[in-house]
Amino acid sequence: MTALLEGRTAVVFGVANKRSIAWAIAQQLHAAGARLALTYQNERLALEAKDLVESLPGTEGFQCDVSNDAEVTRLFERLQERYGKLDVLVHSIAFAPAAELSRPFVETSREGFRIAHDVSVYSLIALARAAAPLMTDGGSIVTLTYYGAEKVVPKYNVMGVAKAALEATVRYLAYDLGKQKIRVNAISAGPIKTLAARGIAGFSDMLKGHVERAPLQRNVEAEEVGKAALFLASDLSTAVTGEVLYVDCGYNIMGF
Ligand code: NAD
Ligand code: 0WE
């Protein structure tokens, strides 16, 4: 076993179930010796997360809806009390109202735009600000993005605009927090069949298209995203900040 994160504490946001990318990341961080706090959005997901939390010894679960300032404040008070110091924060959260991912992009509603950006982008700023005072030895913040931020992926719509804002947010946070030795990076993952992807019409065809076009001629596994997150969370990547790391079997490099 490697001990890349021995003695470190990590908080992981976005565990909904065992298919969640956040769960694949949590498993890698745990295997590398980190002590983990897992957060879930609400009571319904608490039930789902319970078995997962219990399967990783030393891990604790906390509830936090990131669209609620009071819940974010309360969570970090509890993390401060419980752990004192924080080394790693993983943000694996995105949401847009379902209607925004089925209508044409030009029909995007003001409220759908607001919600997508509040939950998927502003939350990273709020969590980074709350975590920074606990990252007294420096730290690593990792978020998840997608190719639809930079090229049009039909139906990804307002989420693509939100991911573009998220990638810019990573750079601005990296600049602000660099003086505190806190690094901020994003992983741009290829399509993976998680809860957030399951409802999307035509997702299976997207997975097929990915196999046809990606240099590695296959899809990405959540475990591979977990391993890349371990790299960014650990001292293997101490000079890397403000970056988008592609974990997509090379899909993004192709022009034709
Ligand atoms: P998922 O549904 O398992 O995870 C999304 C998480 O966001 C859930 O745990 C959900 O509870 C959480 N969430 C939504 N609104 C929230 C709120 N208000 N407060 C707290 N939590 C909230 O799906 P996933 O595919 O693992 O998605 C995780 C991240 O990976 C997202 O940022 C997504 O955009 C990104 N991503 C996914 C893929 C893919 O194909 N699955 C590809 C690239 C990037
Ligand atoms: O970021 C995502 C999905 C994020 C997402 C998914 C949902 C489905 C359920 C955000 N909000 C919602 N709202 C819901 O009500 N991905 C990268 C996966 C994904 O979603 C797509 C994709 C891909 C890839 C949507 C359309 C086209 C491609």
Side-chain angles (χ1 to χ4, degrees), residues 142-240:
V142 179
T143 187
L144 273 298
T145 187
Y146 176 62
Y147 186 64
E150 52 189 302
K151 291 288 189 287
V152 173
V153 174
K155 302 277 171 65
Y156 198 58
N157 293 359
V158 74
M159 273 310 308
V161 178
K163 290 300 192 188
L166 181 73
E167 293 179 10
T169 295
V170 163
R171 293 186 281 272
Y172 280 89
L173 288 174
Y175 171 68
D176 268 8
L177 301 178
K179 55 178 94 56
Q180 292 162 250
K181 295 193 165 53
I182 299 170
R183 299 182 293 107
V184 187
N185 293 288
I187 292 173
S188 186
I192 300 174
K193 205 157 196 162
T194 60
L195 183 65
R198 189 165 309 197
I200 312 298
F203 196 80
S204 297
D205 291 332
M206 282 194 48
L207 290 174
K208 278 191 203 135
H210 193 272
V211 172
E212 281 164 21
R213 179 162 154 186
L216 295 181
Q217 300 184 1
R218 62 176 178 83
N219 285 119
V220 174
E221 285 170 30
E223 184 192 10
E224 297 178 300
V225 179
K227 290 189 290 184
L230 173 58
F231 164 73
L232 290 175
S234 75
D235 289 351
L236 291 178
S237 61
T238 44
V240 182

Side-chain angles (χ1 to χ4, degrees), residues 14 16 20-21 41 45 65-66 92-94 144-145 163 189 191-192 194 196:
S20 295
I21 293 173
Q41 185 182 352
L45 293 174
D65 182 328
V66 298
S92 184
I93 288 175
L144 273 298
T145 187
K163 290 300 192 188
I192 300 174
T194 60

